Amino acid sequence: MIWVGMVFLLPILGGCQDNDETPVFQAEGYLIGHHPCVRDATVMTSKGEGKGYLVATIGAKSDTLMLFGVPTDLFAIPQEWHNSLSYFFPEAGRGMFKMSFSYQKSQESIGLQFPCNAFLPLYHLLRYADPEYIVLKAEKIN
C-alpha cells in the first residue's frame, strides 16, 4: 500500500513542472503601420529591444497584431511614415516589408508607456493595440 501511494505522489511532489510559460506562435506577415504614440522609438521588451509595428499576418488564420521588438536593422522604414498623424503606412507601401517571425503575447503594455497626442484618432487603433505581442525572432522575406 505504501508503494502504491509513493507511485502516485512522486509526480505530484517532484515530477510536474509549472506550466506558466506563454505560448509561442509562428507567422508570416507584412508591416502596415505603427503605434502612433510609440512612432519610431526603439522599445525595450522582456525579450530585447526593437521597433513596434502593426503587422498583418498572412495565411489561413490572418490577423492584425501590434508587435513590439522587431529588430531595428530589419527594415528601413521612411521617416515621414512615422511622422504622419495616421498610424497606417501609405497603401502603396504596405506590402513592401515582409517577414517571418515567432512571437508571444506581451504582459507589459508597452504602448501605454509612451505619451500620446490627445488629438490622435486612437479609437481605430484600439482593436489592434490590445493585446500586444513581442517578437522572439524575425527574418526578412521577399
Side-chain angles (χ1 to χ4, degrees):
M1 193 65 119
I2 293 174
W3 285 105
V4 172
M6 288 178 63
V7 168
F8 287 111
L9 283 177
L10 274 176
I12 294 171
L13 294 176
C16 291
Q17 287 185 332
D18 188 15
N19 197 7
D20 286 341
E21 185 64 29
T22 305
V24 173
F25 304 99
Q26 306 289 324
E28 288 186 358
Y30 54 94
L31 310 185
I32 62 170
H34 62 91
H35 194 292
C37 303
V38 179
R39 295 182 179 251
D40 191 31
T42 299
V43 299
M44 184 58 75
T45 73
S46 60
K47 306 298 180 185
E49 68 176 25
K51 301 290 184 179
Y53 294 110
L54 193 58
V55 176
T57 63
I58 51 179
K61 289 186 144 188
S62 61
D63 201 356
T64 303
L65 311 171
M66 185 57 65
L67 193 63
F68 289 101
V70 176
T72 57
D73 60 349
L74 195 60
F75 299 112
I77 307 297
Q79 188 61 42
E80 61 270 13
W81 290 10
H82 289 285
N83 292 331
S84 72
L85 288 179
S86 173
Y87 48 84
F88 284 114
F89 293 155
E91 189 77 36
R94 290 189 191 170
M96 293 173 53
F97 304 104
K98 294 180 184 177
M99 65 180 175
S100 173
F101 58 99
S102 60
Y103 66 102
Q104 64 186 179
K105 188 175 177 182
S106 172
Q107 307 298 320
E108 303 169 35
S109 298
I110 297 165
L112 294 176
Q113 298 172 14
F114 289 81
C116 208
N117 184 338
F119 298 109
L120 287 173
L122 295 178
Y123 52 91
H124 292 296
L125 178 69
L126 294 178
R127 63 182 163 175
Y128 306 124
D130 187 37
E132 296 175 344
Y133 296 92
I134 297 176
V135 170
L136 304 174
K137 183 179 178 184
E139 295 177 347
K140 190 177 186 178
I141 58 175
N142 295 325

